[in-house]
Amino acid sequence: MTPSPDRSPVGEVGRLTGRIRSTPSRLLHEEVLEPQFRYEAAHLLPWYITVEKVFALEYRRMGLITGPQAAEIGRLLHGAAQDGITADPQANMSDIAFALEQHVERGLSEPVTSWHVDRSRNDMQSTAQLLFGRQLLLEGAESILAFGQAAHRLATLTTDLPMVGQTHLQAAQTITPGYYFAAVSQQMAHTLRRLLTTHDGINLSPLGSGAMTGQELAWDRDAMAALLGCRAPQPHALTGVASRAWVLEIAAELSLLGSALSRFISDVMTWGSGPYGFITLPDELSGISSAMPQKKNYPILERIRGKSAHLSAYYLDMLLGQRATPFTNMVEVSKEAGANLLPMFTTLNTTMRLFTAVVENLSFDEHRMRAAVDQEFLGGFTLANQLTLHESVPWRTAQVIAGRYILAAHAAGLPPHRISPDLLRTAAAEHGITLADHETPLATAFKSAGELYEKKSAGSAHPDRVRELLEEQSAQYRELHTEWSARRDGIQAGLDRIDSLLGLNDGVSGGQGTAV
C-alpha cells in the first residue's frame, strides 16, 4: 500500500515506543517538529549534552554503569556537539532527545544496558531550557551594564551644563544632562539588581523531577544541581516539569525595562528635534530625507523606542501562552509559550547596543541650551522661597507674588535676567506686603541658571550633589560587575567539573564551555 502524501512510511519508530506505530506526518514534521528541531539544535543542543553528561556521572555514581562506560558516553556526547545531529521522522521522530540518544548508542563500543534507565524527556527538556534562558540572562545583563556605564560616563561629563527641565511638557526648572543621565544610570543599576534577584530565584535545577512525580532511583539531585551551576534543585518535581514561571519573571523585568527605556529615548528625541536642537549625533548614526535635503534625521532614536515596545509585547505573548493551561508538562507551555525567549533577548541586546552608541556619541549644543534656559523664568520657585525665607512672606502668598512678577515682566517685555525691583515691589504691594529687599530675591532667582545652585538636598540637580550621586553609582556598578561575574564564574566552574569528572580534558565544557 502506497503511503499518502501526508504520511511518512513506518521506520524505526517502533523501537522508540510501543504505543505509536507510525512516524510523524509530513505536515507535522515540516511545520512543527523539524523547525523546532533546528532551533533546539542551534541553541539548546549544548545544554542537552550537558544534562546527559550529568546523568552519565550519576549512573556511574550509582554503580549502574562503569567509569569507562561513562567516559565513552561523555566522548560521544562531545562528538554530537561537533558533528551535529539531524531531524529524521523515521529514525528519531524529529525529536532532539531521541536523536542525541541514538547518536550515542550508535557510537558505543558495546551496549550499555542501564543507560537512560529511570529517565524522562520532561525534566531533561525543562533543564536544558532553563540553562539556555540563564545564559541569555547573563548575556543580557552584560548589555544592560554596558549601557548603564555609558550613561554614567556621559553624566560625569555634563554635570555643569544647564538645560531646561520640563514637567507636563512645559519648561519647569533648570537641570543638566548630567543630572538627567544620572537618573538613567540609576535605573539601569536598579534593573540589574532586580535581575540578579531574578537570576538567583530561578536558578533551581529541574533535573531529577522525572516525568512529573520524581524518579525511582536515588538520584543525587543536589550534586546534579551543583554541577549545572544551580544553587539547588527545584524542590517539587511537578514544578520542575510543569512550571515555566522563570520565563515570565525574566520577561516581566525586561518589559519594565522597555517601558523605562521608551521614556528616556523619548526625551532624547525631543532634545534632537528642530525646535530644540540641543543635541546632535554624528553622520554615521544619522539619516537623511529623500525629498528634503536640508534635513538630518535621527531614525536610530525611533528604532530604539520602537524596539523597546517589543519587550513588553514578548512578555504579554509569554504570559498568554501559559495562562489557563494545566499545571503539568505541556508542549503548549514548554515550547510555544517560550518560543519568543530568544527573540526577546535578541531585541534587548540590539536595543541596548543602539542606545549605548547614541549615549557614547551625543554632542550637546551648549549655546542653544543656555539660551533656552535664559529665556525662561525658571527661577520662579526660587523667588518664592526667597520671599518666604528672607522676607517672611507666607509661602502661598509668596507663590502668588512670584507669579504676578513673572506676568508683569512678560508684559513689559523683560527677559528673566533683566530684573525689575519695581515690578516686584508692585506685585508685593498688591497683597499688602512691603519688602525690605526687592533686588536680592530677584538676583538670586533669575541669574543665569542660578536656581540650579540653590538646591541643597541629596539627589538634587546641584552639580555637586550629582557628582556625589555618581560616585555612589560608581561603587554600585563595581559591586554589580562583581556580583554578575561571580554568577558567571560559578556556573562555569560547575560545567568545567563535569568534563573533569568524565575525564574529558579537551577544554570544552559541557559543549558550552565559553557560553557563560
Side-chain angles (χ1 to χ4, degrees):
M1 180 176 177
T2 303
S4 69
D6 190 45
R7 184 180 298 278
S8 300
V10 174
E12 299 181 24
V13 69
R15 66 188 297 269
L16 295 175
T17 175
R19 185 67 178 87
I20 300 296
R21 299 186 59 191
S22 296
T23 57
S25 71
R26 184 170 298 159
L27 173 67
L28 191 59
H29 173 73
E30 293 178 353
E31 298 296 335
V32 177
L33 299 180
E34 198 274 336
Q36 180 72 41
F37 192 105
R38 278 190 283 107
Y39 172 82
E40 293 190 345
H43 303 292
L44 272 75
L45 177 59
W47 299 113
Y48 278 112
I49 289 172
T50 298
V51 170
E52 286 281 16
K53 287 181 177 179
V54 171
F55 272 128
L57 288 170
E58 269 299 283
Y59 284 131
R60 186 184 72 178
R61 182 192 66 81
M62 291 187 288
L64 295 173
I65 65 175
T66 67
Q69 287 174 331
E72 183 179 24
I73 290 170
R75 286 192 297 272
L76 290 168
L77 290 168
H78 251 14
Q82 297 162 4
D83 301 340
I85 56 178
T86 58
D88 186 333
Q90 296 186 41
N92 55 43
M93 297 188 74
S94 303
D95 182 282
I96 196 166
F98 289 151
L100 188 56
E101 178 182 296
Q102 292 176 352
H103 171 85
V104 172
E105 287 183 338
R106 284 194 298 268
L108 288 172
S109 57
E110 60 181 19
V112 180
T113 304
S114 296
W115 187 55
H116 276 197
V117 67
D118 195 36
R119 287 284 305 281
S120 169
R121 286 181 299 167
N122 294 0
D123 64 338
M124 179 185 182
Q125 173 183 259
S126 182
T127 303
Q129 290 174 350
L130 174 67
L131 299 182
F132 178 54
R134 185 182 65 183
Q135 172 197 346
L136 294 177
L137 178 55
L138 289 167
E139 294 170 353
E142 287 185 3
S143 67
I144 298 169
L145 183 63
F147 171 66
Q149 291 174 322
H152 185 274
R153 287 191 296 272
L154 180 60
T156 62
L157 298 174
T158 55
T159 54
D160 292 289
L161 178 58
M163 71 181 298
V164 173
Q166 294 185 328
T167 62
H168 310 289
L169 301 180
Q170 304 298 322
Q173 293 183 320
T174 305
I175 62 171
T176 67
Y179 176 67
Y180 186 89
F181 281 100
V184 176
S185 172
Q186 190 72 37
Q187 179 64 49
M188 295 308 108
H190 176 72
T191 296
L192 287 165
R193 281 193 297 271
R194 288 179 62 94
L195 286 174
L196 265 177
T197 300
T198 300
H199 172 278
D200 294 346
I202 69 173
N203 197 23
L204 297 172
S205 170
L207 208 56
S209 297
M212 66 179 289
T213 59
Q215 308 209 235
E216 297 182 7
L217 295 175
W219 300 91
D220 188 341
R221 297 193 64 214
D222 289 295
M224 291 193 293
L227 289 173
L228 295 172
C230 297
R231 63 182 179 88
Q234 177 61 249
H236 199 290
L238 182 59
T239 302
V241 297
S243 176
R244 294 300 187 277
W246 63 267
V247 174
L248 299 183
E249 291 177 26
I250 294 173
E253 292 298 331
L254 298 189
S255 175
L256 293 174
L257 173 61
S259 176
L261 293 174
S262 74
R263 300 184 71 186
F264 293 138
I265 198 64
S266 290
D267 287 329
V268 178
M269 293 170 73
T270 298
W271 300 341
S273 64
Y276 289 83
F278 291 168
I279 63 163
T280 56
L281 285 170
D283 289 352
E284 56 268 27
L285 293 178
S286 304
I288 63 170
S289 166
S290 64
M292 295 164 283
Q294 78 278 9
K295 290 189 68 182
K296 180 180 181 181
N297 299 328
Y298 299 132
I300 187 173
L301 306 182
E302 299 173 55
R303 289 285 187 178
I304 293 169
R305 189 163 71 177
K307 289 181 181 297
S308 70
H310 298 321
L311 298 177
S312 294
Y314 286 133
Y315 169 58
L316 184 59
D317 171 81
M318 296 171 186
L319 179 65
L320 294 179
Q322 294 195 31
R323 182 186 177 277
T325 56
F327 194 73
T328 188
N329 185 70
M330 299 283 291
V331 170
E332 182 179 358
V333 173
S334 64
K335 290 186 170 67
E336 290 298 338
N340 281 316
L341 183 67
L342 178 58
M344 179 180 67
F345 273 102
T346 300
T347 299
L348 168 70
N349 294 329
T350 297
T351 304
M352 292 290 88
R353 286 195 295 269
L354 291 175
F355 212 158
T356 300
V358 167
V359 167
E360 290 179 337
N361 288 277
L362 272 184
S363 296
F364 291 94
D365 189 325
E366 183 174 352
H367 174 73
R368 293 191 68 159
M369 291 167 67
R370 286 188 179 275
V373 169
D374 289 343
Q375 74 179 7
E376 300 285 350
F377 285 83
L378 301 178
F381 179 80
T382 301
L383 176 57
N385 271 347
Q386 291 287 315
L387 293 176
T388 296
L389 296 174
H390 300 290
E391 295 291 331
S392 299
V393 178
W395 166 247
R396 183 51 54 194
T397 302
Q399 281 279 335
V400 174
I401 292 173
R404 295 292 188 189
Y405 170 80
I406 293 170
L407 283 175
H410 269 301
L414 297 178
H417 67 278
R418 290 278 302 277
I419 63 174
S420 173
D422 288 341
L423 290 181
L424 181 60
R425 182 182 295 110
T426 300
E430 290 176 357
H431 293 81
I433 302 293
T434 301
L435 303 177
D437 183 351
H438 297 87
E439 186 168 343
T440 302
L442 290 172
T444 301
F446 296 117
K447 63 185 176 182
S448 181
E451 78 283 356
L452 181 67
Y453 297 89
E454 290 300 311
K455 300 295 186 290
K456 304 294 191 302
S457 60
S460 71
H462 191 295
D464 290 343
R465 303 293 81 75
V466 175
R467 279 185 279 268
E468 291 169 359
L469 177 60
L470 291 172
E471 185 60 33
E472 294 174 7
Q473 290 180 6
S474 293
Q476 293 175 25
Y477 277 113
R478 288 192 295 269
E479 179 183 353
L480 286 164
H481 181 271
T482 298
E483 291 287 342
W484 282 103
S485 295
R487 304 308 191 276
R488 191 175 298 107
D489 293 345
I491 293 168
Q492 189 64 57
L495 299 178
D496 290 341
R497 182 163 169 73
I498 294 171
D499 282 350
S500 175
L501 291 171
L502 285 171
L504 305 172
N505 299 310
D506 58 7
V508 182
S509 295
Q512 194 70 29
T514 59
V516 297

